Structure formats: structure tokens, C-alpha cells
Amino acid sequence: MLGRIIFAWWKGSKLDCNAKQWRLFADILNDIAMFLEIMAPVLPISFTITICVSNLAKCIVSVAGGATRAALTMHQARRNNMADVSAKDGSQETLVNLAGLLASLLMLPLVSDCPSFSLGCFFLLTALHVYANYRAVRALVMETLNEVRLWLVLKHFLQKGEVLDPTSANQMEPLWTGFWPSLSLSLGVPLHRLVSSVTELQQLAEGHQEPYLLRWDQSQGEVQVVLSQGAGPETVLRAATHGLVLGALREGGPLPRELGELRSRVRADPNKESWVLVKETHRVLDKLFPEFLKGLQDAGWETEKHQLEVDEWRATWLPSPEKKVL
């Protein structure tokens, strides 16, 4: 029970953002839990520990599997018919369980007297189960952007000037948890994590009118973003794009001319003040992001909503005054 509560607190906010990855994780963890139950009688010394670990794994599966199932059901309810899709999904699962029960009753006399054959069948069917779940998750095409899909689409756009369509980006998306961009992107953090003085706040807010403040810690590879009260989905998408563009400055590959010049300056002077680079990338994004946003919409991505992980903190600050030309 404690494991279930702790896992929901620890990873609950990531289940919506990376529903496909956590769905596959839950299926694999469930197979591991069943294997531990099978092996528990073989190891009488550690029987209690083995059963406890198995039950802990099943509790995590119930959280991850149930939550991601709801998220994927919502994705499949194309006519806002979530109840209908959920009911039919439950009926399909019942039919599969019934077929599995009948098949197990037929196989039981064949394997009951031969443990090695039984274990071989388990490994064969488990491998088939993992492969089938992998293919099912891989077939899902999500039209909303999470951090990984946004990074794949943005990287392709910066290198080739084209926006990947949802099908292509979903095919490239890694399905194993842990294979994320090396940059740590935090959206919706409290203001005190970015600034500790009025001077720092003025530095971050100077030169742009966007309703977010961004700080880049080059040494730690972290980008933290404070969102204003009026920040909507498009603002969040631009802030995430801004953070990933900063991460692209530390990597290889072709970039547009303005970003290529910035990358050369970053490599030439790694100790340069980050807020100066953030200010300069704001100017680049003023030209780049509208084109990128239009490309996303034309390619079929939903930009009015997203699956980026955003915390609830919001702040209010005075915008920097626009410079008047005499």
C-alpha cells in the first residue's frame, strides 16, 4: 500500500505526459511480478521477501496501468465518447480473459507433471506478450506534443527546415523510460528558484514581452521557466521550445544561421552569462517560433493543448518597457 502511494506521488504527473512509455513499463513489470510468484516456492529461504516484492510490483502496475489506460482511452475517444470506448475496451478484455481461461484449462493437464515445460511455456508466452504490447503501443499516434515529441520535431525543423507529421514523430519516439533529452526542462517553477534579487529579475525580463521568464544553468544542463498568470498553451509551447533550443546549442548538427552563430559563441566562451544568451535567443525565437508554430498546425499537431509536464506555480511581474525610437 505504501509503495502504491509513494509511486503515485513520485511519478503521477509523468503518466499523462508519457502514457505510452508507462503503459509498456506496466505490462513488463506485471510479467516480472508473475515470474517472481512462480519462483517463490523454489526459493523457500527468501519466500516472504519474494512475495512482498511481487505484490509491490503489482501495486505499481495497478497505478501505472490504470492511469495510462484512462489517458489512452481519452485519446481514442475521437467523438468525445469516452464511456463508450471504455465499455467496449472492458468487454474486449473480458473476452480475452475468457479465451485465456479456456486455453489454460486445456493446457493444464499437459504441463502439470512437467515443471520445465511449464516454465518454457511461460517464457515463450511472456515474450509474445511483451512483443504484442510493444507493437500495440508503437501503433499509437498521439497528436499532442510532450517533451520528447517536441524535441524530435524541433530538432528536425532546426536541421532541415521541415516539421515532422505526428505519424513520423511517433514512430521515432523512444518507448523505454529513461531515453529522454539530456536537458532538464522544468516548466511552471516558483519565482524564487530563478531570481534572488530585483536586479536578476530585471535581467531576465528585459528585452521581451513574452509572459514567461527563463533561466539556463549551463553547468547543470537545466532550464527553469516561470510562467505568468496569463500564460496559455501557446506560451507554454514557446517556453518549452525556447528551453530545447538552448539545449540544442550544446549539441552537434546543423542549425539556422542565427542559432549557429550563438552556438559558436557559447563554445568560445562557456562562462558567458546565461541571461545574455537567453535574451538573444528570445530575439531569434521572435522570428523562428511563428514559422515553427504554423508548421506544427499544418502538419496536423494539436497546439491548443499539450502533454508537457507543467507545475502549478504562476507569477506576476511588470513587463519590460518597449524601447521607443526617436
Side-chain angles (χ1 to χ4, degrees), residues 238 284-295:
R238 171 175 168 136
V284 175
L285 280 177
D286 286 339
K287 301 178 182 178
L288 194 67
F289 184 73
E291 180 185 351
F292 179 57
L293 182 64
K294 186 178 184 304

Side-chain angles (χ1 to χ4, degrees), residues 262 265 272-281 283:
L262 275 178
R265 292 162 60 184
K272 188 173 183 178
E273 292 288 345
S274 295
W275 67 269
V276 177
L277 296 171
V278 170
K279 182 179 176 181
E280 292 177 355
T281 50
R283 288 198 292 265

Side-chain angles (χ1 to χ4, degrees), residues 209-226:
Q209 300 294 322
E210 294 299 326
Y212 69 87
L213 301 175
L214 185 146
R215 182 174 182 177
W216 181 30
D217 188 342
Q218 296 186 55
S219 59
Q220 300 293 328
E222 294 179 350
V223 171
Q224 296 178 325
V225 180
V226 171

Side-chain angles (χ1 to χ4, degrees), residues 95-143:
L95 179 62
V96 171
N97 288 336
L98 177 60
L101 176 62
L102 295 175
S104 64
L105 291 175
L106 294 174
M107 290 182 63
L108 189 60
L110 303 176
V111 301
S112 57
D113 296 330
C114 186
S116 59
F117 181 63
S118 177
L119 197 60
C121 289
F122 171 79
F123 283 122
L124 176 62
L125 295 175
T126 298
L128 180 62
H129 174 249
V130 172
Y131 175 75
N133 277 283
Y134 173 82
R135 296 290 298 177
V137 173
R138 177 57 76 190
L140 283 170
V141 177
M142 312 289 282
E143 293 86 5

Side-chain angles (χ1 to χ4, degrees), residues 32 91 99 112 142 180 183 241 290 298 313 317-318:
I32 294 174
S91 298
S112 57
M142 312 289 282
W180 315 128
L183 180 76
T241 303
D298 293 342
W313 294 93
W317 62 89
L318 293 176

Side-chain angles (χ1 to χ4, degrees), residues 1-20:
M1 291 179 183
L2 288 175
R4 182 171 185 160
I5 294 171
I6 292 172
F7 180 78
W9 163 79
W10 182 33
K11 294 294 185 181
S13 61
K14 298 183 181 296
L15 299 179
D16 275 308
C17 305
N18 303 300
K20 294 193 293 185

